[in-house]
């Protein structure tokens, strides 16, 4: 399912008048999630899951072409932890 498909389903479920409005809702939702994560906040949807930011420590890696050891810098990444209702729905 792509963004436009999700927007169309939301349009039908909520009764929005146009797909354009629904696409705007989907885009606004993602903007809110991205901004919250960029501030280091968690975004929780009980039963669905939690979006959060996780720290990755610096570590040593190996270049697969040369076998040379390389340093991989510390970083942050977005993570999603699945909620109980969603986990049960896809069993």
């Amino acid at each position: 399912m792509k963004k436009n498909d999700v927007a169309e389903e939301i349009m039908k479920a909520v009764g929005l008048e146009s797909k354009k409005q629904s696409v705007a809702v989907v885009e606004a939702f993602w903007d809110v999630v991205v901004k919250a994560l960029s501030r280091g906040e968690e975004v929780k949807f009980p039963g669905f899951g939690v979006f959060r930011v996780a720290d990755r420590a610096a570590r040593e890696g190996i270049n697969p072409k040369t076998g040379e050891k390389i340093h991989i810098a510390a970083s942050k990444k977005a993570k999603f932890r699945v909620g109980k209702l969603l986990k049960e729905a896809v069993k």
Side-chain angles (χ1 to χ4, degrees), residues 32-43 51-53 78:
V32 169
V33 171
V34 168
K35 286 176 185 175
L37 291 176
S38 70
R39 293 188 301 262
E41 298 174 12
E42 287 187 343
V43 180
F51 294 94
R52 64 186 177 93
V53 176

Side-chain angles (χ1 to χ4, degrees), residues 3-50:
K3 178 176 81 173
N4 284 333
D5 300 327
V6 171
E8 192 167 323
E9 291 296 320
I10 289 173
M11 180 182 74
K12 291 175 188 174
V14 178
L16 292 175
E17 293 182 17
S18 72
K19 190 170 178 181
K20 186 175 180 179
Q21 287 177 322
S22 187
V23 169
V25 168
V26 171
E27 289 174 354
F29 167 78
W30 284 117
D31 287 344
V32 169
V33 171
V34 168
K35 286 176 185 175
L37 291 176
S38 70
R39 293 188 301 262
E41 298 174 12
E42 287 187 343
V43 180
K44 299 178 183 182
F45 295 95
F48 182 75
V50 178

Side-chain angles (χ1 to χ4, degrees), residues 80-91:
F80 179 73
R81 187 173 56 233
V82 178
K84 184 179 178 182
L85 295 175
L86 179 58
K87 189 183 294 185
E88 290 174 358
V90 295
K91 277 187 178 182

